[in-house]
Amino acid sequence: MTAQIIDGKKTAQEMKAEFRDEVAKLKEKDIVPGLAVILVGEDPASQSYVTSKERDCAEVGIYSDDNRLLAETTQEELIALIEEKNNDPKINGILVQLPLPKHINESEVIFAINPEKDVDGFHPINVGKMMIGEKAFLPCTPHGVVHLLTRSNVTIEGANVVIIGRSNLVGKPLANMLIQKNKNANATVTVCHTRTKDLASHVKRADIIVAAVGRVNTVTADMVKDGAVVIDVGVNRVEDATKKRGYRLVGDVDYEAVKEKASLITPVPGGVGPMTRTMLLYNTIESAKAAAAK
Ligand code: GUN
């Protein structure tokens, strides 16, 4: 079997076109969704993510407020800026790009964001609400994975899902979302991680495999059941002298070999990445609507 490609870029474009219309309608009611993006330091990958997020905002008509801070910024200065944005009515969403420099405590920074503006869905209030199935901002990457699956008509209900990776950003929230009692979930979920014994034995049972570890070739073809759906969240740089920038991006899955066994597969780039950014726009628009309804 050769897999069909799940085109995240195309799905993201379709969703952005819907958001553009929605934002235009909100503007007729004087509602302009606003997103504050905060980046501390000069990490090139983070700079590129943040620039893309701001470009997405411009594309759909969301106001974006760019805040680039020096790597030496103190935690107190960062939290003071967050508090300013918490109190700014033009801002509906606050995104602090992670990872933060080592001298800053990430949890304390996330706790400082008003949960009603936490469009990343990282604040414990939103994490807790998600866990008990209450309405909450859902974290963008796992939410994007669920959208990709449902828009590709993959049946999640009753499926054996194996997630590789237990991060707070992807693995843990995705597991939580997929075990909820609703029609886009109801899956049987296994979460594998660095201490899992015999990873292959778990992955082989999966109807849906989600790789989110950040290590090249974590999922190889021998681990994949014929016809499985494979979602690759990994983004890894590998040296490539044929490229002008000296590297290319690959995921956690041995794509060329695995696509010969899977029924559906996401590419890297162009799979989950564009969906993460799209769900951020979705959360920002939802936040603006909620603020206007108050
Ligand atoms: N760094 C990598 N992914 C993310 C994300 O989804 N949100 C934030 N804030 N930082 C990230």
Side-chain angles (χ1 to χ4, degrees):
M1 173 180 280
T2 300
Q4 246 180 289
I5 311 300
I6 300 180
D7 188 343
K9 209 166 155 186
K10 181 161 162 269
T11 308
Q13 288 296 353
E14 288 165 5
M15 292 180 74
K16 278 195 281 188
E18 293 164 21
F19 296 161
R20 207 176 302 128
D21 293 344
E22 187 168 11
V23 170
K25 286 203 185 88
L26 289 173
K27 281 189 182 161
E28 286 168 16
K29 294 190 251 176
D30 285 331
I31 301 166
V32 182
L35 176 71
V37 179
I38 303 175
L39 172 64
V40 186
E42 284 91 37
D43 176 66
S46 291
Q47 279 176 333
S48 141
Y49 288 140
V50 161
T51 302
S52 304
K53 286 169 188 177
E54 289 170 344
R55 197 183 316 124
D56 288 339
C57 284
E59 245 183 78
V60 303
I62 292 176
Y63 161 67
S64 77
D65 168 55
D66 179 271
N67 301 269
R68 310 231 176 180
L69 309 180
L70 296 174
E72 303 77 49
T73 302
T74 65
Q75 182 168 319
E76 290 66 32
E77 286 167 334
L78 175 57
I79 289 177
L81 179 64
I82 291 171
E83 275 163 7
E84 189 188 309
K85 304 302 170 191
N86 281 342
N87 295 317
D88 183 345
K90 291 196 300 302
I91 299 301
N92 305 106
I94 301 170
L95 179 134
V96 180
Q97 185 66 27
L98 304 179
L100 287 166
K102 296 253 175 309
H103 65 279
I104 297 179
N105 182 314
E106 250 169 40
S107 295
E108 288 179 22
V109 169
I110 290 167
F111 291 6
I113 299 171
N114 178 347
E116 293 178 3
K117 297 190 178 189
D118 168 40
V119 285
D120 258 324
F122 292 164
H123 191 287
I125 292 274
N126 284 312
V127 176
K129 283 184 173 175
M130 172 189 68
M131 185 151 183
I132 58 172
E134 289 286 325
K135 188 169 162 43
F137 289 120
L138 298 176
C140 301
T141 301
H143 199 190
V145 169
V146 174
H147 265 271
L148 273 185
L149 290 170
T150 52
R151 285 203 171 220
S152 308
N153 298 316
V154 174
T155 306
I156 301 174
E157 194 156 47
N160 283 330
V161 180
V162 173
I163 300 169
I164 313 166
R166 58 175 156 187
S167 68
N168 289 341
L169 267 66
V170 187
K172 280 188 215 163
L174 181 61
N176 230 295
M177 287 159 72
L178 294 178
I179 57 168
Q180 294 296 323
K181 205 168 186 174
N182 69 55
K183 71 173 172 43
N184 289 333
N186 280 329
T188 303
V189 179
T190 304
V191 182
C192 297
H193 47 75
T194 41
R195 298 297 166 96
T196 295
K197 288 183 192 153
D198 195 1
L199 175 67
S201 70
H202 294 281
V203 178
K204 276 179 186 164
R205 289 186 297 101
D207 305 308
I208 302 171
I209 301 163
V210 182
V213 276
R215 200 185 65 217
V216 177
N217 286 337
T218 299
V219 177
T220 50
D222 58 303
M223 296 179 176
V224 176
K225 182 170 83 172
D226 275 325
V229 174
V230 179
I231 306 292
D232 194 348
V233 182
V235 183
N236 307 295
R237 288 182 179 194
V238 294
E239 268 184 47
D240 186 341
T242 69
K243 303 277 179 208
K244 210 163 68 187
R245 56 189 181 180
Y247 67 87
R248 67 193 151 87
L249 295 179
V250 300
D252 293 346
V253 173
D254 180 5
Y255 181 80
E256 288 305 324
V258 169
K259 85 172 174 5
E260 298 307 322
K261 284 189 93 178
S263 59
L264 285 166
I265 191 166
T266 58
V268 177
V272 175
M275 290 301 291
T276 296
R277 285 157 39 197
T278 303
M279 300 323 294
L280 177 68
L281 304 177
Y282 172 82
N283 282 349
T284 306
I285 296 168
E286 289 302 303
S287 179
K289 289 197 290 195
K294 267 190 166 181

